[in-house]
Amino acid sequence: MKDIKCTVIQDLLPLYVDEVVSDDTKSLVNEHLLTCENCRNEYEQMKGTLYVPIENKDTLFSQLKKRWNRKKWLLIFGSVLTTTLIGFALFSFIFYYAKPIPYTAELFELEETADGTLVLNYFGESHAGTYTTHPLEVEIDGEVKKISLIYYVKTIAHSPTSNFLREDKRIGPDRLELVDSETVDAVYYGDFDLDKVTKEKEQTWEELLQQMTLIWER
Ligand SMILES: [Zn+2]
């Protein structure tokens, strides 16, 4: 057994390195390695590199890579989605979250033109929109009156106090002609929800008008 061939030893080396050989084979290889420099070199080289069969190597690494890629894409997709949602929420809040502008005599002035049209002059810096009604026939204290309701809204982007996104250099007030206003008896300013007095009957006209400011009466 002493003159066992180097080729046989080298065939056994991978198993020897992986320590999956029997004790007999192990001592056989040990003995040979002590005397044969050639096989010892072969063994040292094999020991230094992790022995993974070629076919396993491929699938193992591609699986790891695939898994990592999937994780990476999920992570990227997740953070892009989160960023988009936060951005959209912020954008909506700044541009669309509308708050009624409270009435003050300095900000608003109602003017009756020569032909009887009512014009609301607004002296504030900028606003996001206006809510107005056509003349409404309303019975108050047994008396039928024609009234117009109106209010202005601002957002963070359109606000007299934080007017950082646009700078209005308006000459004169913002003028708004009230629709069919020649026949109107009174104009009220304030946040209103017509559905609550018409469709849903949750409020009476008296209750609604009490929350508003009478800004003009014929
Ligand atoms: Zn040898």
Side-chain angles (χ1 to χ4, degrees):
M1 288 289 259
K2 287 237 164 135
D3 55 345
I4 192 163
K5 276 188 178 172
C6 284
T7 51
V8 175
I9 291 296
Q10 286 178 15
D11 277 350
L12 287 170
L13 275 181
L15 301 171
Y16 176 81
V17 168
D18 283 347
E19 291 178 73
V20 287
V21 287
S22 66
D23 287 348
D24 286 346
T25 312
K26 198 173 171 182
S27 52
L28 196 91
V29 175
N30 280 344
E31 219 172 289
H32 181 88
L33 288 181
L34 286 174
T35 55
C36 173
E37 204 195 334
N38 199 23
C39 283
R40 207 160 52 235
N41 285 341
E42 189 77 14
Y43 164 70
E44 291 298 335
Q45 227 175 6
M46 209 174 267
K47 203 173 64 168
T49 57
L50 179 69
Y51 185 74
V52 180
I54 295 297
E55 63 269 29
N56 286 359
K57 207 186 231 166
D58 258 11
T59 52
L60 182 72
F61 279 107
S62 67
Q63 266 176 16
L64 279 176
K65 211 172 154 189
K66 236 186 243 169
R67 202 175 302 167
W68 188 79
N69 272 340
R70 206 164 49 203
K71 253 190 184 169
K72 186 179 77 174
W73 282 113
L74 274 177
L75 206 71
I76 290 173
F77 180 71
S79 59
V80 166
L81 192 73
T82 310
T83 311
T84 308
L85 285 178
I86 290 173
F88 182 73
L90 198 67
F91 182 84
S92 308
F93 183 73
I94 291 174
F95 286 92
Y96 295 105
Y97 175 66
K99 249 172 50 179
I101 298 173
Y103 177 85
T104 67
E106 290 79 40
L107 278 182
F108 297 97
E109 183 193 76
L110 206 117
E111 167 196 337
E112 193 177 352
T113 63
D115 63 356
T117 305
L118 297 178
V119 177
L120 187 62
N121 292 303
Y122 172 65
F123 297 91
E125 283 180 34
S126 92
H127 59 89
T130 56
Y131 290 85
T132 58
T133 64
H134 281 79
L136 300 159
E137 280 198 3
V138 173
E139 197 182 320
I140 307 165
D141 299 329
E143 209 183 324
V144 176
K145 283 189 169 183
K146 257 192 175 178
I147 61 167
S148 278
L149 310 181
I150 187 164
Y151 72 98
Y152 283 52
V153 291
K154 65 176 177 184
T155 62
I156 289 174
H158 305 88
S159 157
T161 49
S162 49
N163 200 21
F164 58 88
L165 285 171
R166 45 177 285 196
E167 209 172 315
D168 284 279
K169 297 253 190 288
R170 200 189 290 136
I171 303 160
D174 179 279
R175 291 167 62 81
L176 180 76
E177 277 190 22
L178 301 190
V179 192
D180 299 332
S181 55
E182 304 82 8
T183 58
V184 161
D185 296 311
V187 179
Y188 288 84
Y189 185 97
D191 190 0
F192 58 83
D193 185 350
L194 278 187
D195 286 349
K196 284 190 177 168
V197 283
T198 53
K199 286 177 209 153
E200 290 157 27
K201 310 274 182 206
E202 278 178 27
Q203 251 182 337
T204 64
W205 278 106
E206 281 88 352
E207 281 168 350
L208 176 74
L209 295 180
Q210 257 169 26
Q211 294 161 17
M212 302 181 77
T213 309
L214 176 67
I215 59 171
W216 183 86
E217 212 173 7
R218 195 174 293 281

